[in-house]
Amino acid sequence: MRRPGRWWRRKSTPAKVEAYTRWSFHFVVLVEFMAAGGPLLGQPARGERSGAGEPGPTVLLLLLIAGHCALCAVLASWSLDWHLGRRTRPTRLLWALGTATAAVAATAVVLTGPGGPGGADRSVDDVAFGTFVLVMAFGAGTSTLGMRNQRRVFAGVAGSAAGSGLVAFAFGIPGAVALAAAVVVLFTAGFLTVTYVLSLWLLNVVHELDEARETRTRLAVAEERLRFGRDLHDVMGRNLAVIALKSELAVQLAQRERPEAVTQMVEVQRLAHETQREVREVVRGYREADLSSELAGAKGVLTAAGIDCTVTGPAVGLPAQVQSALGWVVREAATNVLRHGDPRWCAVEVRVLEERAVLTVENDGAPDGAGGPGRGSGLIGLRERLAEIGGTLRAGPTGDGRFLLTAEVSLPSEAGAGAGSDPDSPDSDVLPSVVESDRFRTAGTRSEVTP
């Protein structure tokens, strides 16, 4: 059974701000109904006062107010979608709201005027006049959601306020009261307009910040790719050019049956081995990751993103091969925490047990459908990397919006670790294969490489 707040925790930050903005607009509509229609609920229908069996004008005005509030709610929601680029401008709905505002205001001012039904019933007249003012104010304020030009927005508010005063005066309302009504409409509609404008501005800023974070992530990946490509170019460009020249020279010498051709081919072989060694160093530096540096970097990045990150456990004393593998796990886990879900905290722990090292990364804010280790190329790559040194990876949601990633690596014995980490051993002289996006495949045999 899902907990009530889980649907909210699943949302990203922009989605939360959007939901808050949308329901704030709807709350304003509820305020309009309570302020404009609430006093009418306490007034008996005029038909009942006169002894008639039909509903009086008060009931009709209450129904018009309810319809006006419904139109305001729909317009607010559609206008929000329009500002976010999901819907076209709701022009017809704007005209419908303007018509409804005029109808409700006209009904209210007719009830308020000296010729209105009810005679000397001033209590109902006062309530109807208050309804007239509030409906004009809320109608004018909500209509500004369908505009983007600020001059038109404030011109519309000022025009609605002036029109309210003129209409009230034309229907027999005293001049001072009509002027007060215009002032109230001006300030109320202006306050609503400023509130709407600031809310939309804040929502746009949140969306832009989220897009900027995604762009920053893509730029970081692109920059790393450029760095790696530049290093490879610097290493291989010069040597390959020399190899090409010497090979061409060796061909010409061989065609002339000159013994110097053998010397040139020996030099070509030496340059090829040197290039292979340099490329191997570049790839090894690209693939290896220091666990301490990765933990510090992950904590710094997550903290800068507003996530409470804690790191516990020893990050030194482990074999270099184990530290490199766990460092890649930390890097990938931190990236997933930033790009997926909306976490508030993240806990990273390193434990050294009897014969294995265990790294756990846990965070909240995991979205529904968060995959385990079988989903996503990043986790698949980590599983392959850990499998090469006898490690395992488990990842998946643990309930209540939490996600747990656990990596275990067996610690080699001292003899085995020394043999496996010796850079001068014959096995270490073979260029490591690099698969998918971060590794290159090299063809060749052991016999082609000299220590």
Side-chain angles (χ1 to χ4, degrees):
M1 182 178 180
R2 294 184 177 181
R3 296 186 179 181
R6 187 175 181 183
W7 68 274
W8 177 259
R9 291 193 297 270
R10 292 200 313 264
K11 293 180 176 292
S12 63
T13 298
K16 289 180 180 179
V17 177
E18 180 182 343
Y20 169 78
T21 303
R22 191 180 303 274
W23 285 106
S24 297
F25 291 172
H26 293 167
F27 179 75
V28 171
V29 174
L30 179 62
V31 171
E32 176 193 0
F33 182 79
M34 296 302 298
L40 292 175
L41 296 176
Q43 298 291 335
R46 292 194 172 186
E48 297 176 1
R49 284 181 174 271
S50 61
E54 298 179 357
T58 305
V59 177
L60 174 62
L61 183 60
L62 187 61
L63 294 176
L64 289 175
I65 292 173
H68 183 267
C69 292
L71 278 176
C72 287
V74 176
L75 177 64
S77 183
W78 285 21
S79 297
L80 182 59
D81 292 336
W82 171 56
H83 283 281
L84 294 176
R86 302 172 185 169
R87 186 189 296 270
T88 59
R89 183 183 180 186
T91 305
R92 295 182 179 179
L93 199 58
L94 281 171
W95 282 105
L97 179 61
T99 303
T101 301
V104 178
T107 304
V109 79
V110 166
L111 293 177
T112 306
D121 192 353
R122 300 307 307 166
S123 62
V124 178
D125 291 341
D126 293 340
V127 171
F129 183 71
T131 299
F132 162 76
V133 173
L134 291 173
V135 167
M136 288 296 300
F138 279 88
T142 306
S143 298
T144 59
L145 284 172
M147 307 176 188
R148 283 180 177 168
N149 189 292
Q150 293 185 359
R151 293 183 178 180
R152 293 183 179 180
V153 167
F154 291 106
V157 172
S160 299
S164 302
L166 292 176
V167 169
F169 184 76
F171 275 85
I173 304 298
V177 178
L179 179 61
V183 173
V184 171
V185 170
L186 177 63
F187 280 95
T188 305
F191 175 78
L192 291 176
T193 299
V194 172
T195 302
Y196 289 145
V197 170
L198 291 178
S199 298
L200 292 174
W201 172 79
L202 177 62
L203 181 59
N204 288 329
V205 168
V206 172
H207 276 283
E208 290 176 0
L209 288 176
D210 187 67
E211 293 175 359
R213 186 175 67 174
E214 291 291 332
T215 303
R216 183 178 60 185
T217 303
R218 290 193 296 268
L219 287 176
V221 174
E223 183 179 357
E224 181 64 16
R225 289 174 177 173
L226 288 175
R227 184 196 67 80
F228 185 61
R230 183 173 60 250
D231 292 345
L232 282 178
H233 177 270
D234 294 342
V235 168
M236 301 186 66
R238 181 191 70 255
N239 291 349
L240 289 179
V242 176
I243 288 174
L245 290 175
K246 287 187 173 293
S247 299
E248 183 179 356
L249 178 59
V251 170
Q252 294 178 1
L253 291 174
Q255 290 175 348
R256 299 175 184 177
E257 298 182 354
R258 298 285 297 274
E260 291 86 350
V262 177
T263 304
Q264 295 298 327
M265 289 308 300
V266 171
E267 183 66 14
V268 168
Q269 185 183 24
R270 186 191 66 80
L271 288 173
H273 291 159
E274 180 68 17
T275 303
Q276 188 180 37
R277 184 186 62 79
E278 293 179 355
V279 171
R280 181 170 60 249
E281 291 178 355
V282 172
V283 174
R284 182 183 296 117
Y286 179 74
R287 294 183 63 192
E288 291 180 354
D290 181 67
L291 181 58
S292 300
S293 301
E294 293 299 332
L295 289 174
K299 183 176 182 180
V301 171
L302 295 178
T303 302
I307 302 172
D308 184 15
C309 180
T310 58
V311 177
T312 57
V316 295
L318 298 175
Q321 197 175 24
V322 175
Q323 287 204 35
S324 177
L326 294 183
W328 275 101
V329 174
V330 173
R331 182 182 299 182
E332 179 68 23
T335 302
N336 290 338
V337 170
L338 285 174
R339 299 189 63 181
H340 306 293
D342 187 25
R344 292 171 296 179
W345 59 266
C346 178
V348 183
E349 183 181 8
V350 180
R351 292 176 295 166
V352 179
L353 303 180
E354 295 179 355
E355 296 181 353
R356 66 185 187 278
V358 181
L359 170 70
T360 59
V361 181
E362 185 178 12
N363 64 277
D364 67 340
D368 277 355
R375 301 184 183 180
S377 58
L379 293 179
I380 293 176
L382 288 180
R383 287 171 60 85
E384 294 175 353
R385 192 182 299 272
L386 291 175
E388 293 176 358
I389 58 174
T392 59
L393 177 72
R394 299 188 305 273
T398 60
D400 197 19
R402 297 186 178 186
F403 191 90
L404 176 63
L405 183 145
T406 304
E408 295 188 11
V409 181
S410 299
L411 295 177
S413 61
E414 295 184 1
S421 60
D422 185 7
D424 297 329
S425 63
D427 291 339
S428 66
D429 201 35
V430 182
L431 180 65
S433 61
V434 187
V435 267
E436 302 300 337
S437 61
D438 61 342
R439 290 181 288 183
F440 297 95
R441 289 195 178 276
T442 59
T445 60
R446 278 285 313 276
S447 60
E448 297 174 343
V449 182
T450 59

